[in-house]
C-alpha cells in the first residue's frame, strides 16, 4: 500500500509541477518588463510546492506560531532535514530567492521553474561557483529581495545539526543584512534520505527573531553563526513534541499561521 500511495504522490507532484510550470512560463513573459525582482514568478513556483504538499496523502504540513515578515535585506537560514523542507518553507507567505545545488536546476520542469523564479545555483565544493553564487545573492539583496540558504549545506543524516558553513553569515555581514532563523521539524520522516517512498508525517516550520548585523564585522562571524544556531536549536526543540507523532489523523488540518 505504501508503494502504491508513494507512486501516486510522485505522480501528483509531477502533474502539479508541470501544470504550475505551464502557468509560470507565460507569467514570466508577461511580467518581465516590470517585475525585475521576479516576485510573481517566484511566488508562482513556491505555490506549486505548497499545492503539491497539500495534495500529498502522507503529509500534514503547516506553520507554527507567529511570524514577522523579513525586511527586504535579509538572509534567511534554516536547518535541513530532508528534500521535503522546501515544500514546507514555501508555505511562508513571502518571496525569497533560494540558493540550491546547480544539479537541481537541470531537472526538467522543476529546474526550469527554479530558473524562472530566480533561484541561485551553486556547485558544491567548487570555490568559483560559490563566489559567483554569493555575487548573485548580493545583487538580489540590493534589489530588496531576501535570500534563503541552508547553512548546513546538505541534509543531516541524524537529529544532530551539521556544522554551519560561513557563507550565509559572511553574506549577511558584508551586505548589512539581517539574519532570520527558521526551524523545521518532522520532514525527516516525510521523505527519508535515499528513499523514494513517502511516509506519514506531521511537520511544522516556525520563524525566529531577526538578528541584526549592524556594526558587525567579519570578526563577529562565529558569534553570528552561534546566535542563529542557538535559535534554530531552541525552536526545533519546541516543535518536536508537536511533530513526534508520525501517524497524524488523515483529516487533521494543518495549524494556522499568524502574523505579527
Amino acid at each position: 500500500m505504501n508503494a502504491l500511495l508513494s507512486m501516486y504522490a510522485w505522480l501528483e507532484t509531477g502533474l502539479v509541477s508541470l501544470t504550475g510550470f505551464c502557468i509560470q512560463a507565460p507569467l514570466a513573459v508577461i511580467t518581465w518588463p516590470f517585475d525585475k525582482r521576479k516576485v510573481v514568478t517566484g511566488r508562482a513556483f513556491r505555490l506549486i510546492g505548497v499545492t503539491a504538499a497539500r495534495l500529498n496523502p502522507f503529509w500534514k504540513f503547516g506553520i507554527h506560531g507567529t511570524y514577522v515578515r523579513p525586511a527586504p535585506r535579509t538572509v534567511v537560514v534554516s536547518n535541513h532535514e530532508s528534500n521535503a523542507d522546501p515544500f514546507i518553507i514555501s508555505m511562508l507567505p513571502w518571496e525569497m530567492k533560494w540558493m540550491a545545488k546547480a544539479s537541481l536546476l537541470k531537472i526538467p520542469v522543476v529546474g526550469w521553474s527554479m530558473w524562472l523564479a530566480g533561484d541561485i545555483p551553486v556547485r558544491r565544493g567548487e570555490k568559483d561557483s560559490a563566489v559567483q553564487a554569493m555575487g548573485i545573492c548580493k545583487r538580489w539583496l540590493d534589489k530588496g529581495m531576501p535570500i534563503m540558504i541552508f547553512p548546513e549545506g546538505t541534509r543531516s543524516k541524524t537529529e544532530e545539526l551539521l556544522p554551519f558553513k560561513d557563507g550565509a553569515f559572511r553574506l549577511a555581514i558584508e551586505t548589512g543584512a539581517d539574519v532570520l532563523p527558521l526551524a523545521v521539524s518532522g520532514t525527516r520522516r516525510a521523505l527519508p534520505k535515499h528513499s523514494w517512498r513517502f511516509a506519514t508525517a506531521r511537520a511544522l516550520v516556525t520563524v525566529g527573531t531577526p538578528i541584526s548585523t549592524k556594526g558587525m564585522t567579519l570578526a563577529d562571524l562565529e558569534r553570528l553563526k552561534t546566535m542563529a544556531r542557538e535559535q534554530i536549536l531552541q525552536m526545533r526543540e519546541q516543535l518536536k513534541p508537536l511533530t513526534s507523532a508520525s501517524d497524524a489523523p488523515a483529516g487533521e488540518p494543518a495549524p494556522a499561521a499568524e502574523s505579527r
Side-chain angles (χ1 to χ4, degrees), residues 19-36 38-48 116-117:
T19 302
F21 174 74
C22 291
I23 296 171
Q24 185 194 23
L27 285 175
V29 175
I30 294 169
T31 61
W32 176 80
F34 57 87
D35 188 13
K36 299 304 183 182
K38 296 188 177 182
V39 175
V40 174
T41 53
R43 286 308 297 160
F45 178 51
R46 314 309 163 198
L47 291 175
I48 292 170
L116 289 177

Side-chain angles (χ1 to χ4, degrees), residues 211-231:
I211 304 169
S212 174
T213 62
K214 185 177 180 180
M216 287 190 181
T217 67
L218 291 179
D220 299 296
L221 193 149
E222 290 300 324
R223 180 168 68 92
L224 180 59
K225 284 167 58 176
T226 299
M227 292 168 67
R229 188 181 183 90
E230 288 177 351
Q231 269 204 55

Side-chain angles (χ1 to χ4, degrees), residues 110-131:
V110 173
W112 305 338
S113 286
M114 293 176 70
W115 182 79
L116 289 177
D119 289 340
I120 306 134
V122 61
R123 292 185 297 275
R124 188 179 299 166
E126 296 186 21
K127 184 177 180 180
D128 289 345
S129 177
V131 170

Side-chain angles (χ1 to χ4, degrees), residues 98-109:
W98 295 54
M99 183 178 288
K101 290 188 298 184
S103 59
L104 293 177
L105 276 78
K106 297 179 181 179
I107 299 174
V109 183

Side-chain angles (χ1 to χ4, degrees), residues 14-241:
L15 289 174
V16 169
S17 299
L18 180 59
T19 302
F21 174 74
C22 291
I23 296 171
Q24 185 194 23
L27 285 175
V29 175
I30 294 169
T31 61
W32 176 80
F34 57 87
D35 188 13
K36 299 304 183 182
R37 299 194 307 155
K38 296 188 177 182
V39 175
V40 174
T41 53
R43 286 308 297 160
F45 178 51
R46 314 309 163 198
L47 291 175
I48 292 170
V50 172
T51 302
R54 296 292 191 201
L55 294 177
N56 190 308
F58 291 96
W59 293 352
K60 299 295 178 184
F61 286 3
I63 304 169
H64 177 71
T66 60
Y67 60 84
V68 176
R69 290 174 180 268
R73 187 177 287 269
T74 297
V75 178
V76 183
V77 295
S78 173
N79 62 308
H80 197 8
E81 291 195 351
S82 85
N83 282 333
D85 295 340
F87 291 90
I88 191 169
I89 295 174
S90 292
M91 291 180 174
L92 296 171
W94 63 76
E95 174 57 6
M96 48 192 173
K97 304 309 179 188
W98 295 54
M99 183 178 288
K101 290 188 298 184
S103 59
L104 293 177
L105 276 78
K106 297 179 181 179
I107 299 174
V109 183
V110 173
W112 305 338
S113 286
M114 293 176 70
W115 182 79
L116 289 177
D119 289 340
I120 306 134
V122 61
R123 292 185 297 275
R124 188 179 299 166
E126 296 186 21
K127 184 177 180 180
D128 289 345
S129 177
V131 170
Q132 183 179 20
M134 285 299 169
I136 298 172
C137 288
K138 289 178 180 179
R139 290 197 290 274
W140 278 124
L141 289 170
D142 287 341
K143 292 180 180 180
M145 177 57 65
I147 297 297
M148 170 67 211
I149 298 176
F150 292 110
E152 293 170 278
T154 188
R155 292 162 288 160
S156 174
K157 296 180 180 180
T158 68
E159 292 288 335
E160 297 297 321
L161 260 66
L162 298 174
F164 281 5
K165 298 181 182 298
D166 292 347
F169 307 97
R170 179 183 293 272
L171 173 67
I173 291 173
E174 290 180 344
T175 60
D178 290 347
V179 172
L180 179 62
L182 307 179
V184 296
S185 178
T187 55
R188 188 182 311 280
R189 292 184 300 275
L191 189 57
K193 194 169 184 177
H194 304 310
S195 175
W196 66 273
R197 295 193 181 196
F198 293 91
T200 302
R202 176 72 162 182
L204 294 168
V205 59
T206 192
V207 183
T209 302
I211 304 169
S212 174
T213 62
K214 185 177 180 180
M216 287 190 181
T217 67
L218 291 179
D220 299 296
L221 193 149
E222 290 300 324
R223 180 168 68 92
L224 180 59
K225 284 167 58 176
T226 299
M227 292 168 67
R229 188 181 183 90
E230 288 177 351
Q231 269 204 55
I232 291 172
L233 286 169
Q234 183 179 22
M235 291 188 295
R236 195 180 64 163
E237 287 303 312
Q238 293 171 349
L239 291 181
K240 278 184 179 180

Side-chain angles (χ1 to χ4, degrees), residues 1-12 57-58 196-198:
M1 182 60 70
N2 177 275
L4 289 174
L5 282 176
S6 291
M7 286 189 285
Y8 162 78
W10 280 116
L11 177 62
E12 168 265 311
F58 291 96
W196 66 273
R197 295 193 181 196
F198 293 91

